[in-house]
Amino acid sequence: MASEGAASGDAAGSLPHISVIMPCRNAMPFLPWAVDDLASSVGCRLEVFICDDGSTDASGDFLRSLHDAIAAAAQLAGSRGATGSDGATQEQQQQEAGSAEEEKSAAESDPVAVFGKAARGVAPPAAERHFVREEPWPGEAGEASPTVAEIARRFAAAGHVLRVLSSGGKGQGAAQNLCLESATADLVSLLDADDRQPADRFAKLHAALVAHRADGWDAVCSAVHIFGTVSAGMARYVDWQNSLLQPDELLSNRFVEIPALHQSGIYPRKLLQDTLKGYRDLPGWPIDIDTWMRAAEAGVKVGKIPDRLYGWRQHVLQSTRNHGRCSLEHLRHCKAHFLLRSLPSEVKEIEVWSVGNTLDSWGRALSEAHAKAASSDGAAAAAAELAIRLVEWRPKKRRRGGAKRQNAAESGGAGNEDEAVSFERIVVEPGSLPEAVPQGGDAVARLFVFGSADMREQARKAIVCAGGAGGRGIRADDFEGGASGSSRWARSDWPAA
């Protein structure tokens, strides 16, 4: 079903036309805020597609009520000037009737009044958890959420179009693909049903995309404003993410973490439909990271502007915290899968530097990814044989020492059911290095997997200073992946990636 706002004249025709995708599943009580932000968008013409993915709360009822209210508001706008038999205009009559109805059903139109904030679960007070703070979206705290009638009037006044779809509970990917297939604008953006945005978001994204086309940008996203129940760890992650702006920064950091929120961006529709073939709703890992990895494989250049144009709400029932495929293990398997696909064919050995369970987990993830790639028909996969060396190292002391070599069976760590993969584990004394750092040129890929950028940097610098096999130290151009060096250090992207 579709609802359109009032015709907005020639001026609207000169504004950028953008299709907006919003998948929705049990998004109350946040859904009205998100939809109202879309209705309030300026400097653009929107066709908004909201796909109800089998909601069991009041999301579906809200969307149907909103659709009907927007249709009524558009009809009201189209009948302005017509006069009724009692001398009053039809506009005045319908406005009076609408106001009376709004007052009568105010509680029904206010999702928070009906379902309460506990409808989505209430996080423990921030005061009880020292690492969490409550950060409201500007103007939202203490205010009643916008009603159906208010949102409908804003849609009608702006001339935006709303289309409500249903994917029957098939999943986020199916919901987003249904919206994408229905889109008619050349540009597509997204907003999650529990998130927020400023009114000029789309106008600024469009202006940035136009400005950076000469730089070869295919798409553009924005920095993120994190709000809600914000943990210290998530705040650090967003700060890191917001620091990555240039396409090469986003590309080279994609194996560290998701370098930007996909939903924060604006994309050519043909890029999403023809290049990426839509969204994949996989059980193995999140849609967001899968989309980023596939875009990188396709050579898509996505840049980021520093304006915090996307409001990412943190709450206890968001999928980031609760969906199984968003777990650390699933993210690791995604990275391992795409990492192996990105390596040149001459790479026969992967050396992973880390500690404890993280090291073992990466060994298992790489082995499993190699086995799956080798068994996939037509996969441009991994070499027939792969050696994985696990180096356990802690940057605590500044001296060199010996290293104890173990195979997987001896270490009790990463197991291996893939006969094409061989394991070796090196346990190094804290702060020490193996007496000879193996060098294999482009045949060896080295990964530094530590929980902080500082520790990764310490590991890389220590190895650079230590020298390698035959006494030759790693040159600076090797360390940076320079053209004159044969070794690839500190980066997970090759020219073929």
Side-chain angles (χ1 to χ4, degrees):
M1 57 186 165
S3 297
E4 297 191 14
S8 48
D10 295 337
S14 63
L15 298 175
H17 187 206
I18 301 169
S19 297
V20 182
I21 293 174
M22 177 182 285
C24 173
R25 179 175 174 82
N26 295 342
M28 289 303 215
F30 308 125
L31 179 60
W33 292 107
V35 180
D36 188 54
D37 284 347
L38 294 177
S40 303
S41 297
V42 297
C44 57
R45 292 185 300 125
L46 302 183
E47 58 170 9
V48 178
F49 297 92
I50 306 179
C51 187
D52 181 17
D53 184 40
S55 295
T56 56
D57 66 357
S59 297
D61 292 337
F62 170 82
L63 292 174
R64 286 186 287 273
S65 297
L66 179 59
H67 166 269
D68 294 342
I70 292 175
Q75 181 180 4
L76 172 63
S79 64
R80 286 175 179 165
T83 304
S85 58
D86 61 353
T89 65
Q90 291 183 13
E91 178 182 1
Q92 291 171 332
Q93 293 173 336
Q94 293 186 41
Q95 283 180 336
E96 292 171 0
S99 298
E101 180 64 23
E102 182 176 341
E103 292 177 3
K104 177 181 178 182
S105 59
E108 297 177 4
S109 300
D110 184 351
V112 176
V114 176
F115 301 98
K117 293 182 179 180
R120 292 281 291 171
V122 178
E128 297 180 10
R129 298 183 296 169
H130 68 278
F131 57 90
V132 171
R133 71 178 189 271
E134 294 294 337
E135 183 174 320
W137 182 262
E140 182 179 308
E143 297 293 329
S145 61
T147 66
V148 166
E150 291 170 341
I151 299 172
R153 284 199 294 268
R154 279 190 270 276
F155 260 100
H160 301 318
V161 176
L162 172 69
R163 302 184 186 277
V164 179
L165 309 174
S166 174
S167 57
K170 296 179 181 179
Q172 179 187 350
Q176 292 185 184
N177 282 331
L178 184 56
C179 293
L180 182 59
E181 292 164 4
S182 303
T184 65
D186 291 336
L187 295 174
V188 174
S189 189
L190 304 92
L191 180 68
D192 281 353
D194 52 358
D195 289 339
R196 300 293 306 267
Q197 66 170 45
D200 59 353
R201 175 192 170 208
F202 298 120
K204 286 186 174 180
L205 286 174
H206 178 264
L209 181 59
V210 172
H212 286 284
R213 277 175 178 159
D215 301 322
W217 290 20
D218 299 305
V220 62
C221 55
S222 76
V224 170
H225 177 175
I226 190 171
F227 73 103
T229 306
V230 180
S231 69
M234 188 60 76
R236 287 194 300 270
Y237 166 55
V238 169
D239 287 342
W240 169 82
Q241 194 183 75
N242 287 346
S243 72
L244 308 174
L245 300 178
Q246 296 302 316
D248 62 335
E249 292 179 310
L250 273 66
L251 178 68
S252 62
N253 281 280
R254 69 190 186 278
F255 292 108
V256 177
E257 246 303 345
I258 300 174
L261 293 189
H262 172 70
Q263 58 267 40
S264 75
I266 187 170
Y267 311 88
R269 177 163 52 89
K270 289 186 177 181
L271 187 157
L272 298 176
Q273 288 182 327
D274 300 339
T275 303
L276 300 184
K277 308 300 181 184
Y279 297 98
R280 300 197 305 180
D281 209 345
L282 304 175
W285 48 72
I287 290 176
D288 202 2
I289 189 171
D290 180 74
T291 303
W292 273 113
M293 293 295 189
R294 292 190 296 121
E297 284 191 341
V300 177
K301 292 184 66 174
V302 182
K304 185 190 298 178
I305 57 177
D307 308 59
R308 299 193 305 166
L309 300 178
Y310 193 92
W312 190 18
R313 188 191 300 272
Q314 304 296 296
H315 57 92
V316 293
L317 292 184
Q318 66 183 138
S319 61
T320 304
R321 302 188 187 193
N322 294 280
H323 201 295
R325 67 184 178 191
C326 295
S327 69
L328 183 61
E329 179 182 3
H330 284 78
L331 291 171
R332 185 184 301 116
H333 277 82
C334 178
K335 295 174 186 178
H337 169 81
F338 283 100
L339 175 63
L340 292 184
R341 290 170 60 92
S342 75
L343 299 180
S345 59
E346 60 266 27
V347 172
K348 308 297 183 184
E349 180 178 316
I350 296 180
E351 189 174 280
V352 184
W353 290 65
S354 190
V355 294
N357 182 62
T358 299
L359 185 62
D360 292 331
S361 297
W362 264 97
R364 287 192 296 269
L366 288 168
S367 176
E368 292 172 12
H370 181 274
K372 290 180 180 179
S375 64
S376 298
D377 293 336
E385 296 183 358
L386 178 68
I388 298 178
R389 178 185 291 113
L390 305 180
V391 181
E392 184 160 355
W393 180 80
R394 300 175 185 273
K396 290 185 177 180
K397 298 180 181 179
R398 294 296 183 184
R399 65 179 180 84
R400 297 190 62 199
K404 180 180 179 182
R405 293 175 181 266
Q406 297 176 308
N407 60 33
E410 292 172 340
S411 69
N416 175 28
E417 298 181 358
D418 184 358
E419 295 181 356
V421 176
S422 62
F423 272 96
E424 179 184 29
R425 185 186 183 95
I426 304 174
V427 182
V428 184
E429 293 182 15
S432 303
L433 288 170
E435 292 186 358
V437 179
Q439 292 191 50
D442 284 339
V444 179
R446 292 182 174 91
L447 310 180
F448 303 95
V449 187
F450 295 95
S452 71
D454 179 65
M455 289 188 69
R456 292 193 295 271
E457 189 67 12
Q458 287 186 55
R460 290 194 287 259
K461 287 182 177 179
I463 295 169
V464 169
C465 297
R472 183 182 78 82
I474 306 300
R475 298 193 302 267
D477 50 8
D478 292 339
F479 173 72
E480 295 296 340
S484 62
S486 60
S487 300
R488 287 279 177 179
W489 292 79
R491 288 192 180 275
S492 297
D493 59 314
W494 274 255

